[in-house]
Amino acid sequence: MTASVEAIVLVGGKGTRLRPLTLSAPKPMLPTAGVPFLTHLLSRIKAAGISHVILGTSYQAEVFSEHFGDGAALGLELEYVVETEPLGTGGAIGNVAHLLRGDTAMIFNGDILTGCDLTGLLDQHRRTSADVTLHLTTVPDPRAFGCVPTDADGRVTAFLEKDPNPVTDQINAGTYVFSRAVVESIPSGRPVSVELETFPGLLADGALVTGYLDTSYWRDLGKPADFVAGSADLVRGIAPTEALPGPTGESLVLPEAKVADGAILTGGCTVGRNCVIEPGAVIDGSVLFDGVRVAAGASVRASIVGRNAVIGAGAVLDTVVIGDRAVIGARVELLSGARVWPDVQLADGSVRFSADS
């Protein structure tokens, strides 16, 4: 790629579907396979040959700049634009137009984990002289997504948001290439949706909008189950990254963590810094943030455990979210989407899904 291609990464959302974890950090900054998720995305942007990256921030905007600074540690040049009021996906893109230097911008949603061939996406954009090129993927049930039918030449013919009777299994996968002229044409000073306004408007005006179909790895990390699965896929090497802080495998254990003999780590789990895992504990496909303590015989499966939380002896966590500094007492059972807010303390045996004691 040439210096004329820049990246815009949209990271302004509040991440409400991942609460309570996002009460203390924006979603793209949550630890994912050992580092903030945004680090994985930035590593792929750099690997594609892009060096100038603009982050469109809003919620807890200072967290991004405090962690990444000017981007030099990643071999990137980062700039930040803060939305003072929510502007939507299109408005957020237009809001950073003044920082663009070249004629082409590759745009990323900051919560999508994708193996899309970024070079191939850009090559098609240039080969077709398109105004916009969208990464498209296919899903078994496209009703919850924006369907994007294309003609035989790959030209987009419509944008059908959450259609109950989809005409195609192709969906908008959240990575785009825009010509600078399109970015600069987005109205300023008000919310704009690329899905509902920008893309349909381009089609109505006769612009050339093409779809780049790439069905490699793709996952939206907005929900807890997807966040856990995406992190596990990164650890196991199923999802692509240049930023995994260790070898791929069944577990990733970060420095200063203490894992006792007899503990079982599997399923692509992550054990954060300064965690303590006692004998007989099972950590399966879960993400433990820094400083978590899991007592003997506890089981943590497909769950997210916030910073400095404590999981008591014999506790069972299955598909749940535990907030920072929460204390889950011995023999407590939490299942099927339960969420515990930060600093909450559940007494020993106080919550059970089974009758045995």
Side-chain angles (χ1 to χ4, degrees):
M1 295 189 182
T2 68
S4 64
V5 182
E6 299 152 280
I8 298 171
V9 184
L10 307 180
V11 291
K14 293 185 177 181
T16 54
R17 293 179 296 171
L18 282 174
R19 285 184 177 170
L21 301 173
T22 48
L23 295 175
S24 58
K27 178 169 52 177
M29 296 301 292
L30 293 177
T32 313
V35 295
F37 172 70
L38 184 56
T39 307
H40 295 290
L41 177 54
L42 292 174
S43 79
R44 296 208 65 232
I45 291 171
K46 181 179 185 297
I50 300 174
S51 59
H52 181 217
V53 182
I54 306 165
L55 300 183
T57 67
S58 179
Y59 176 64
Q60 295 193 34
E62 69 284 353
V63 175
F64 296 97
S65 57
E66 289 172 358
H67 183 86
F68 291 109
D70 62 5
L74 298 175
L76 297 170
E77 180 185 358
L78 299 184
E79 294 190 272
Y80 305 85
V81 177
V82 180
E83 294 177 31
T84 55
E85 297 180 3
L87 294 174
T89 49
I93 295 168
N95 196 44
V96 308
H98 63 285
L99 291 180
L100 293 176
R101 303 167 185 170
D103 58 4
T104 306
M106 188 170 283
I107 299 166
F108 301 84
N109 283 315
D111 56 0
I112 300 294
L113 178 57
T114 175
C116 176
D117 179 354
L118 302 181
T119 301
L121 175 64
L122 180 66
D123 286 347
Q124 175 176 303
H125 180 79
R126 288 174 163 166
R127 184 176 65 254
T128 59
S129 299
D131 297 292
V132 170
T133 304
L134 293 84
H135 170 211
L136 306 180
T137 192
T138 58
V139 294
D141 184 358
R143 289 175 296 176
F145 301 93
C147 293
V148 185
T150 53
D151 65 18
D153 296 322
R155 185 164 186 156
V156 172
T157 59
F159 290 92
L160 307 172
E161 275 298 296
K162 297 179 175 58
D163 193 326
N165 299 297
V167 298
T168 178
D169 61 355
Q170 294 180 167
I171 66 164
N172 173 4
T175 302
Y176 322 117
V177 183
F178 278 33
S179 70
R180 180 170 181 160
V182 171
V183 176
E184 292 177 337
S185 73
I186 297 174
S188 61
R190 66 172 177 85
V192 179
S193 166
V194 290
E195 299 85 359
L196 300 177
E197 182 175 346
T198 304
F199 293 153
L202 288 168
L203 292 188
D205 292 341
L208 178 55
V209 181
T210 68
Y212 177 74
L213 183 61
D214 182 329
T215 58
S216 56
Y217 188 96
W218 183 86
R219 188 182 292 274
D220 179 341
L221 300 189
K223 297 179 180 179
D226 285 310
F227 181 91
V228 168
S231 181
D233 286 345
L234 286 163
V235 171
R236 294 184 294 173
I238 297 170
T241 181
E242 305 291 330
L244 191 70
T248 58
E250 285 300 296
S251 64
L252 174 66
V253 179
L254 298 186
E256 289 82 51
K258 297 179 181 178
V259 179
D261 293 340
I264 298 173
L265 307 182
T266 190
C269 65
T270 300
V271 177
R273 289 172 175 80
N274 298 306
C275 287
V276 176
I277 313 298
E278 295 185 359
V282 175
I283 313 298
D284 180 8
S286 296
V287 182
L288 308 187
F289 292 3
D290 293 349
V292 172
R293 178 177 290 272
V294 181
S299 173
V300 183
R301 301 182 186 275
S303 298
I304 314 169
V305 183
R307 289 178 177 83
N308 300 314
V310 176
I311 312 302
V316 174
L317 309 183
D318 194 332
T319 322
V320 302
V321 178
I322 307 299
D324 296 345
R325 301 173 303 280
V327 177
I328 309 302
R331 305 181 309 285
V332 166
E333 294 180 346
L334 297 173
L335 311 176
S336 303
R339 302 187 189 213
V340 178
W341 252 239
D343 301 302
V344 167
Q345 298 188 26
L346 300 181
D348 294 353
S350 61
V351 180
R352 303 284 296 173
F353 281 75
S354 57
D356 62 308
S357 59

